[in-house]
Amino acid sequence: VDLQLSEEQEARRLEARDWLGDNVPAEQMPSMDTVSGKSAHQAWEKRLADARWSVVQWPAEFGGRDYGIVDWLLFEEEYHAAGAPSRINHNGLTLLGATLLEHGTREQARRILPAMVNGDQIWAQAWSEPGAGSDLAGVTCRAEPVEGGFRLTGQKIWSSRAAVADRGFGLFRSGPEKGHRDLTYLMFDLEADGVEVRPIRRIDGDPVFAEIFFDGLFVPDVDVIGDRGAGWSVAMSTASKERGINLRSPGRFLAVVSRLLELWRSLPLGWQEVHAERVQDVWTRTQAYRLQGFAAAVDDGPATHASIGKPFWSELDIALHEAGLALVADLRAAESPTFAPDDIEAEESTWRQGLLFALAGPIYAGTNEIQRSIVAERLLGLPRG
Amino acid sequence: VHFHPTVEHEDLAETVVKALTSSAGSPRKVAKQLGLAGISVPEGMGGLGLGARGVISVFEGIGYSLDGFPWLDVVIAAPMALAALARSGCSQRVTATLRAVLGGDAMCGFATLGPDGRWWTRDADLVDAVIAVGPPVGWVPPDAWRRSARTDLVGRQRSWSAPVHSVEPEYELDIGDIMGIIDVRRVAAAAIQLGAGRRALDLALEHVKVRAQFGRPIGSFQAVKHRLADAHIALAMVRPLVWGAALSLDMREKWAGTSAVAALLATDEAARKAARSALQAHGAVGYTDECAVGESLNLVDVIIDLLGPRRGLRRELAAAMRAGYQELASLAIQSPAGPA
């Protein structure tokens, strides 16, 4: 019961560090939401999977290493510290993959997971609809029961990765009831007849998400996860994974704050003082998130509820990148000898892209407003209203 | 890796809350009954030797009770200073006072040097003696103290100062001992803030579930909910910092002192946020002296200032981040020098 790592944990951490040091590409990859970016990221996923680093927390049977949460947190720290690429199948692995391991049949796990782990098949999540965002139980996209399966009709939107993905997963209404009942969780093709994907461009023009139109796409029974009509509870087990440390591991923010501290130290002393309080603040918040991650490894109770962490990390992410941009601006003004003008420009663009990405954080995976209501009602016992 | 209080820690906090909130318990009685003065004195010297994690459990309970007695001085700083003096060789007076303090028969206050070069302490009128730790180290006699005009938020004058030369010298303490006292005091102060913030939030939750406007409890309104949810999130997220710092102190980790400073600054902010939210949630009744919200506001307002200027804490943290930024990025998983 202490902060010390066991020899095994230390050894695993170093093994990851060594491998990442030898294998992480020096050049930044093109965006994973473009065609060339997709294949580069798929190649990286293959490399990770071949060395069994893709899903360390999964059972060995599915390409994992049976790591516990602490080992996984440490692996994530190493992964981000090494500057390794973002994971193109992140949604597939953390949402669908984890759900299949928990609720899927063995046949489904054996059929779906290997191609997901090695990056051959890229997955898009399809929760939101034009009329169902925060109110996810308002889904109206239909899965009409037919011989041997379902036919899908209707529209999904804000589907991350759909512009480049091969398959998708989400909730569909399979009966007459409204709300949480008669929802079925299923997987579908994105390239078959009866489905059309229309990319949506983010404010910088990158097609990071898409609309999906269904016009009679057939889904066989074997692609239903859990029982027909019981998709809500299956999806909710996924939702908590989507919001918690699994979605944004502390290692990701530790890597950012380390870079931030380096920038800060590169400023002349007098300039450092101007930013000191802000840098301390985001550093402390990052440590808090990290320690909360370790606390969650021990006790997965109300204190580490995903709805507490989600607003915290998403607002921290914005604060980190705003602080980074403020430091970069002063590094330029101070004509710091540590940074050549070209370096500063590259640095600035990295932080600005990071900020752009961070700005979506309070919106996706259940808006921070929804999370605060969950905290108030479910953890603090305040009346619904 | 363990950041949660054990059952024993929770029981300890609960016992403290019960003792302090029952009407029968004066501070002296409670201190004697629970042996509070011994919690950070080693077992070999007649104390309980609870370690920093035990200390923060007790102090979270003290904070939750909203008890404004100078517990940081009489339970942490003075007994630790007396024990350190007793270890390094000292006068008869030190050993006698330490024995009386541990037995619950005397209370010893604690003074430090202010930026103005005078000794400062709190509630000099409530304790039997005051040990001053500068350097120099020694006793400040009762008649040397002058009540300061400084008031806390609710108008009480509890600060006292004395000229530096009034001290009756003892043996010196080495810097390691002094830093040890400062670190534990800081993490205990952070625990007070945690407890006081949690109490403020609990008061607010009770109120908004009952108080009705527009025909329904005000706790059903989203503006109220989100503000209290924010207070809860803030408190929940600083708690691991306090536990992490206490654990680092117990493990004698290299950056333990830095963790304590960071935890104190962060809990101070979270507790203030919780107390202000509690005031707002109560409306006008929270602004009266009949409501405990006022005590929570006062307590969270005063704690950090007891430990010196906030600027000093910020400076210490900045210096550590400049010196050890690479190690600090992965704070709390450094290999420790060895368990305490």
Side-chain angles (χ1 to χ4, degrees):
Chain A
V1 244
D2 57 45
L3 280 168
Q4 269 179 298
L5 300 181
S6 67
E7 275 176 30
E8 190 188 32
Q9 285 170 325
E10 201 67 66
R12 287 172 166 181
R13 182 185 176 91
L14 292 178
E15 188 189 357
R17 186 177 299 174
D18 285 346
W19 187 87
L20 289 161
D22 292 341
N23 288 276
V24 169
E27 292 287 304
Q28 217 193 330
M29 286 185 189
S31 160
M32 60 187 174
D33 293 299
T34 60
V35 175
S36 62
K38 179 183 176 182
S39 55
H41 277 86
Q42 279 182 300
W44 170 246
E45 289 299 319
K46 178 93 171 68
R47 202 154 158 189
L48 277 176
D50 286 348
R52 288 201 307 129
W53 292 114
S54 174
V55 280
V56 293
Q57 72 280 29
W58 284 15
E61 184 191 352
F62 296 108
R65 293 174 177 242
D66 292 294
Y67 279 8
I69 298 181
V70 171
D71 282 310
W72 173 76
L73 287 166
L74 296 173
F75 170 75
E76 283 284 306
E77 288 184 10
E78 295 299 329
Y79 189 88
H80 291 284
S86 40
R87 307 286 305 272
I88 187 171
N89 238 352
H90 186 68
N91 286 341
L93 294 167
T94 54
L95 301 178
L96 178 61
T99 305
L100 281 175
L101 286 171
E102 211 176 312
H103 301 276
T105 63
R106 282 201 64 75
E107 182 278 324
Q108 285 174 328
R110 284 189 175 150
R111 176 163 52 91
I112 304 290
L113 296 180
M116 180 190 289
V117 170
N118 70 23
D120 282 346
Q121 219 163 43
I122 303 304
W123 289 82
Q125 50 102 341
W127 305 122
S128 294
E129 297 179 5
S134 289
D135 181 12
L136 186 58
V139 159
T140 59
C141 225
R142 291 207 63 84
E144 205 61 54
V146 294
E147 175 83 36
F150 296 88
R151 288 215 177 267
L152 306 186
T153 49
Q155 183 191 350
K156 292 281 180 184
I157 195 169
W158 314 126
S159 176
S160 301
R161 271 336 62 72
V164 294
D166 307 295
R167 302 199 72 194
F169 56 96
L171 282 178
F172 293 81
R173 192 150 305 275
S174 54
E177 299 267 11
K178 287 187 174 156
H180 302 169
R181 292 188 203 160
D182 277 345
L183 289 173
T184 297
Y185 192 145
L186 42 81
M187 304 176 276
F188 51 86
D189 281 333
L190 281 167
E191 289 177 352
D193 285 341
V195 60
E196 192 196 338
V197 175
R198 291 185 204 157
I200 305 173
R201 294 187 304 275
R202 186 171 62 181
I203 49 182
D204 65 340
D206 262 13
V208 301
F209 35 37
E211 293 174 288
I212 307 174
F213 294 90
F214 300 96
D215 184 17
L217 175 69
F218 179 73
V219 174
D221 281 328
V222 292
D223 281 346
V224 173
I225 305 168
D227 291 336
R228 173 186 292 200
W232 181 259
S233 62
V234 179
M236 282 304 105
S237 79
T238 307
S240 68
K241 288 184 174 63
E242 191 192 15
R243 293 166 191 161
I245 50 173
N246 302 62
L247 175 59
R248 297 289 178 248
S249 71
R252 175 193 168 88
F253 305 104
L254 281 171
V256 176
V257 89
S258 300
R259 267 178 36 231
L260 192 78
L261 284 187
E262 276 186 54
L263 292 186
W264 178 68
R265 278 169 47 97
S266 305
L267 281 169
L269 272 182
W271 299 59
Q272 286 182 18
E273 262 181 47
V274 176
H275 298 276
E277 193 160 333
R278 185 177 198 175
V279 171
Q280 289 168 16
D281 173 59
V282 290
W283 174 78
T284 305
R285 282 158 74 185
T286 307
Q287 291 303 326
Y289 187 53
R290 178 181 200 237
L291 295 178
Q292 207 230 16
F294 289 122
V298 183
D299 175 14
D300 194 12
T304 56
H305 195 280
S307 292
I308 291 176
K310 201 264 163 170
F312 190 84
W313 64 250
S314 56
E315 286 158 23
L316 168 62
D317 204 15
I318 293 175
L320 279 166
H321 287 91
E322 284 178 339
L325 283 167
L327 289 174
V328 169
D330 268 8
L331 274 172
R332 187 199 300 279
E335 294 176 4
S336 160
T338 340
F339 284 88
D342 283 357
D343 295 342
I344 292 193
E345 272 165 33
E347 197 66 43
E348 181 173 352
S349 122
T350 305
W351 286 97
R352 189 152 279 128
Q353 281 168 27
L355 177 63
L356 176 62
F357 186 84
L359 287 173
I363 302 169
Y364 60 70
T367 63
N368 286 7
E369 285 71 24
I370 290 290
Q371 307 306 331
R372 288 186 164 93
S373 292
I374 292 175
V375 168
E377 289 168 12
R378 297 196 204 151
L379 302 182
L380 302 181
L382 293 182
R384 289 170 189 276
Chain B
V1 183
H2 200 135
F3 291 98
H4 287 283
T6 61
V7 176
E8 290 80 38
H9 287 135
E10 277 168 2
D11 287 350
L12 194 55
E14 208 175 295
T15 310
V16 171
V17 173
K18 263 193 202 144
L20 288 176
T21 47
S22 77
S23 53
S26 73
R28 268 177 204 268
K29 270 194 204 160
V30 172
K32 180 164 183 152
Q33 178 201 337
L34 301 180
L36 287 184
I39 62 173
S40 44
V41 173
E43 278 181 288
M45 301 186 74
L48 298 171
L50 293 188
R53 276 165 292 172
V55 164
I56 62 171
S57 303
V58 168
F59 275 82
E60 204 175 339
I62 286 174
Y64 194 84
S65 312
L66 302 179
D67 191 298
F69 195 75
W71 294 110
L72 284 172
D73 293 345
V74 304
V75 166
I76 303 289
M80 282 182 84
L82 293 171
L85 283 167
R87 261 199 310 274
S88 56
C90 62
S91 70
Q92 201 51 44
R93 187 172 175 189
V94 167
T95 40
T97 310
L98 180 60
R99 203 178 314 119
V101 161
L102 291 178
D105 301 316
M107 276 190 165
C108 185
F110 183 76
T112 52
L113 281 175
D116 58 354
R118 289 173 66 82
W119 295 112
W120 284 87
T121 191
R122 236 171 39 124
D123 299 318
D125 51 336
L126 301 181
V127 295
D128 306 299
V130 177
I131 184 87
V133 174
V137 176
W139 304 94
V140 177
D143 57 8
W145 291 113
R146 294 287 170 271
R147 196 189 283 273
S148 154
R150 282 159 69 176
T151 60
D152 62 15
L153 186 66
V154 297
R156 294 179 203 134
Q157 294 181 336
R158 298 181 55 189
S159 299
W160 299 70
S161 74
V164 67
H165 58 74
S166 65
V167 74
E168 297 159 7
E170 274 293 341
Y171 293 80
E172 293 297 303
L173 281 177
D174 73 54
I175 186 69
D177 283 329
I178 295 177
M179 284 315 295
I181 298 170
I182 290 175
D183 288 343
V184 177
R185 215 168 161 232
R186 285 172 175 169
V187 82
I192 291 186
Q193 296 293 51
L194 265 189
R198 171 61 52 198
R199 178 66 179 282
L201 179 57
D202 282 354
L203 289 167
L205 290 171
E206 263 172 54
H207 180 75
V208 303
K209 284 174 192 170
V210 181
R211 168 73 176 162
Q213 286 287 275
F214 306 101
R216 52 192 182 119
I218 61 172
S220 67
F221 297 119
Q222 212 168 47
V224 175
K225 271 184 188 161
H226 285 192
R227 186 153 188 183
L228 297 182
D230 272 337
H232 179 74
I233 292 168
L235 289 169
M237 295 303 298
V238 293
R239 198 151 201 265
L241 287 172
V242 181
W243 277 87
L247 203 42
S248 307
L249 285 174
D250 285 343
M251 307 287 293
R252 300 192 179 156
E253 284 183 338
K254 186 175 167 193
W255 297 101
T258 305
S259 316
V261 172
L264 177 57
L265 287 164
T267 43
D268 186 64
E269 199 180 314
R272 281 167 198 276
K273 184 178 202 162
R276 299 274 168 81
S277 303
L279 173 64
Q280 188 65 19
H282 275 77
V285 75
Y287 196 61
T288 69
D289 69 356
E290 290 164 35
C291 179
V293 167
E295 285 303 330
S296 77
L297 280 165
N298 190 40
L299 189 58
V300 303
D301 188 55
V302 84
I303 290 299
I304 199 168
D305 293 332
L306 295 177
L307 309 184
R310 199 168 315 199
R311 195 167 45 94
L313 295 171
R314 288 281 177 195
R315 265 203 191 147
E316 260 184 64
L317 193 49
M321 289 170 73
R322 218 170 274 129
Y325 73 106
Q326 277 159 329
E327 291 172 46
L328 284 169
S330 58
L331 191 68
I333 302 278
Q334 297 303 309
S335 294

